Amino acid sequence: MGDAADAVTGITGGSVIIHCVYKPETTKESAKSFCKVSGSECTTMTEVKNDLWIPEERFSLTDDKTLGLISVLIRNLTINDSGTYRCKADSKLIQEKKLDVEEGSCCGTSEEQTAYLRGTAVIRCKYPEKYNSGIMQLFKLQNGSLQSFFTLGGAIDPRFSLYENKQEQVFTVTIMNVSRHDAGVYFCGAHVTNNHPTKISYSPLFTEIQLHVTDLHVIITVCVCLVLLLAGGLSVLLLKRRCKKTQGSGSSDQRSTGDYDEVVSSAYYATIPDSGNTSLHPSAQKPITLNTVYDTAHLPTNPSDSDFYTLAEQPKI
């Protein structure tokens, strides 16, 4: 079987990229596969795919025939994924890997983050202490593969910069002048090199980050429009309430006027005694006949100027 298996570690909830190197001149056209050892059997987990990232599959494999490099991605790691695996070309063993998946309280999560167009995005990544010796890395899911932004020589894109705090096991990636193309899925991870003579490396992925990019000017415009709509709606509501109040007041005035007219139209009766000389002897007085006279005075409707019906007692000679 050859050399002892290379050790690979991962954390629950995270992912890991395992690399196997082969000699292109001897196994270039062979069918590549990745299997898990169980007793005397090796169960195939995946075969060559066009993309390393396939959303519906946890295991995927790509073959770079130019570099002679097999890359295997295992997503959403669990404790049960621990074990011994083999990279194969047809039935021939290329490399054996021993995967150890551990519980990771710091990582293995998915997060969402929003950045503003032409602004600055800051991605903060925590990692387990055991990877202090690794080279911290930020990957982005692009065209079905995971592309890294940093090499030993520095950042591939000058807008990206990385700062690491080994004491706190945190590294921060800053993206300047954010563009719409920066939106997407990122992974905080590391490159780890074994002590094996072939320097075979693997890349544990700790945290998945969905970065959204939005235009701040659009947000401001939408907010202003909403405020204006709210103000307009409130103005219309207040105007309707005022109109209703005015109509109600008019109806009340009409009722009051009607009541008042009723009072004004009431008749007042007065008895006017005879102004004749009352000093005559009773026997000399002539009989008096009462005649009723109605007199309506049409005066301005003023509480002091009422319509009077006068009952006058006039002597009839």
Side-chain angles (χ1 to χ4, degrees), residues 1-10 16-22 34-35 37 69-70 74 81-87 93-101 192-203:
M1 188 174 297
D3 298 325
D6 288 330
V8 176
T9 60
V16 64
I17 303 174
I18 299 173
H19 301 290
C20 298
V21 176
Y22 64 89
F34 187 74
C35 62
V37 176
L69 180 68
I70 294 174
I74 309 176
D81 290 324
S82 298
T84 301
Y85 294 83
R86 293 174 182 170
C87 293
L93 173 66
I94 298 175
Q95 187 71 45
E96 191 169 82
K97 306 286 183 176
K98 183 174 176 56
L99 174 62
D100 183 19
V101 180
V192 180
T193 302
N194 292 322
N195 294 324
H196 191 274
T198 59
K199 299 294 181 183
I200 301 297
S201 65
Y202 67 96
S203 300

Side-chain angles (χ1 to χ4, degrees), residues 12 14 31-32 112 122 182 186 208 210 226 239 247 257 288 296 310 313:
T12 54
K32 313 301 188 303
E112 291 196 17
V122 178
D182 294 324
Y186 291 82
E208 178 181 330
Q210 175 73 53
L226 288 176
L239 184 60
Q247 292 174 359
T257 303
I288 299 174
T296 302
T310 306
E313 297 178 359

Side-chain angles (χ1 to χ4, degrees), residues 164-177:
E164 182 180 2
N165 186 333
K166 290 185 177 293
Q167 291 183 343
E168 296 183 4
Q169 287 86 54
V170 174
F171 71 91
T172 303
V173 176
T174 302
I175 309 174
M176 305 293 293
N177 192 23

Side-chain angles (χ1 to χ4, degrees), residues 48-251:
V48 175
K49 308 290 183 181
N50 292 327
D51 298 324
L52 185 62
W53 182 276
I54 302 175
E56 63 274 13
E57 296 184 19
R58 284 208 311 126
F59 287 77
S60 56
L61 179 153
T62 57
D63 179 17
D64 189 328
K65 296 181 179 181
T66 302
L67 297 177
L69 180 68
I70 294 174
S71 298
V72 178
L73 173 65
I74 309 176
R75 300 169 51 205
N76 302 323
L77 290 169
T78 67
I79 296 296
N80 293 333
D81 290 324
S82 298
T84 301
Y85 294 83
R86 293 174 182 170
C87 293
K88 299 174 65 176
D90 291 333
S91 59
K92 181 181 179 180
L93 173 66
I94 298 175
Q95 187 71 45
E96 191 169 82
K97 306 286 183 176
K98 183 174 176 56
L99 174 62
D100 183 19
V101 180
E102 302 173 354
E103 294 285 348
S105 58
C106 72
C107 321
T109 59
S110 297
E111 302 174 4
E112 291 196 17
Q113 190 170 327
T114 299
Y116 297 113
L117 193 64
R118 294 179 293 277
T120 300
V122 178
I123 299 176
R124 189 172 182 272
C125 304
K126 289 188 66 66
Y127 60 87
E129 185 178 2
K130 65 185 299 180
Y131 296 113
N132 263 341
S133 59
I135 301 172
M136 296 304 119
Q137 184 62 257
L138 182 71
F139 298 87
K140 184 182 181 182
L141 177 60
Q142 207 161 10
N143 299 323
S145 63
L146 294 175
Q147 299 182 358
S148 58
F149 284 92
F150 301 94
T151 65
L152 294 177
I156 297 175
D157 188 331
R159 298 182 303 117
F160 287 68
S161 61
L162 186 150
Y163 170 75
E164 182 180 2
N165 186 333
K166 290 185 177 293
Q167 291 183 343
E168 296 183 4
Q169 287 86 54
V170 174
F171 71 91
T172 303
V173 176
T174 302
I175 309 174
M176 305 293 293
N177 192 23
V178 173
S179 69
R180 296 191 185 278
H181 296 292
D182 294 324
V185 179
Y186 291 82
F187 293 89
C188 300
H191 285 317
V192 180
T193 302
N194 292 322
N195 294 324
H196 191 274
T198 59
K199 299 294 181 183
I200 301 297
S201 65
Y202 67 96
S203 300
L205 307 179
F206 315 125
T207 305
E208 178 181 330
I209 299 171
Q210 175 73 53
L211 181 64
H212 304 279
V213 176
T214 186
D215 193 337
L216 184 60
H217 294 88
V218 172
I219 294 177
I220 293 175
T221 302
V222 171
C223 291
V224 170
C225 291
L226 288 176
V227 170
L228 292 176
L229 286 173
L230 182 61
L234 184 60
S235 299
V236 171
L237 180 62
L238 291 175
L239 184 60
K240 286 184 177 180
R241 292 188 63 183
R242 180 173 294 180
C243 291
K244 287 182 179 179
K245 186 176 180 181
T246 303
Q247 292 174 359
S249 177
S251 301

